[in-house]
Amino acid sequence: MLVFDLLLFICSAIIIYCGSELIIKYGKELAASLGVSDYIIGLTIIAFGTSFPELIVSTNASMIGESSVAYGNVVGSNIANIALVLSLAIIINLIKNRNFNTNDIIFFLLSAFALLAFSLDGKIFFYEGILLLFGFFLYGFQIKKEITLRYNRNVKKSIDFYLIIILIASFILLIIGSNLFINKAISIA
């Protein structure tokens, strides 16, 4: 039974990967066809596509009462992104020190310390979640303001409905894959 669960776990990870790849690829094409600048595509579409599987897994885990899976997913993902991806990008000189925005670093540090402080008692309460969500939206509005000032391009083009259908199917694929992923991860554990 464990071998079957492991096989389904691996298959669900592949489904999640394929769904997120499709969202990134076709989301980028849809945004470009609407005249969205490459900078905004990179900040929003690709960032959303790479983080959406984690959001779906965490949401599904919370809905079935496995909030520890959601918490571990978020914290583990951020550690991997910061410790692995960012450090490798710096090591191979893809990111220069001058590219860092101090406001981003301050926000990151404040949000990390807030999460640590909220987690000390072993639970994150509703009002603490609201505070974290408020900080996220506040940061999002700050970034939106900066992007609008720097890269304002309002060229509207046609919408390709084929891309929208593929994107919807990709989101459904992600949801199915994440449900299977959570169930098999819990079963294996």
Side-chain angles (χ1 to χ4, degrees), residues 112-183:
F113 285 125
L115 181 61
L116 177 65
F118 293 160
S119 302
L120 288 176
D121 59 358
K123 295 180 182 179
I124 296 179
F125 294 100
F126 180 77
Y127 66 90
E128 294 168 333
I130 294 294
L131 284 173
L132 290 170
L133 197 58
F134 176 74
F136 170 74
F137 284 120
L138 190 66
Y139 181 70
F141 285 125
Q142 174 200 346
I143 288 178
K144 181 182 180 293
K145 224 186 304 182
E146 290 177 17
I147 291 171
T148 305
L149 292 174
R150 271 193 236 165
Y151 304 93
N152 196 3
R153 189 166 116 181
N154 292 328
V155 179
K156 294 257 180 172
K157 296 185 181 179
S158 64
I159 296 175
D160 189 359
F161 289 104
Y162 172 73
L163 295 175
I164 294 173
I165 292 170
I166 291 175
L167 285 171
I168 291 170
S170 301
F171 284 118
I172 292 170
L173 195 64
L174 264 178
I175 292 169
I176 292 169
S178 71
N179 282 331
L180 187 60
F181 185 86
I182 292 167
N183 290 334

Side-chain angles (χ1 to χ4, degrees), residues 21-36:
E21 284 295 314
L22 289 171
I23 289 171
I24 293 169
K25 180 181 179 184
Y26 292 106
K28 182 178 175 184
E29 283 185 29
L30 180 63
S33 73
L34 293 172
V36 177

Side-chain angles (χ1 to χ4, degrees), residues 6 37 43 45 59 74 76 85 89 93 112-113 123 129 132 139:
L6 280 172
S37 73
L43 279 178
I45 303 296
T59 302
V74 170
V85 176
N93 290 326
F113 285 125
K123 295 180 182 179
L132 290 170
Y139 181 70

Side-chain angles (χ1 to χ4, degrees), residues 4-14 180-181 184-185 188:
F4 183 69
D5 284 343
L6 280 172
L7 183 62
L8 284 177
F9 179 77
I10 292 168
C11 288
S12 66
I14 292 170
L180 187 60
F181 185 86
K184 294 307 156 190
I188 290 168

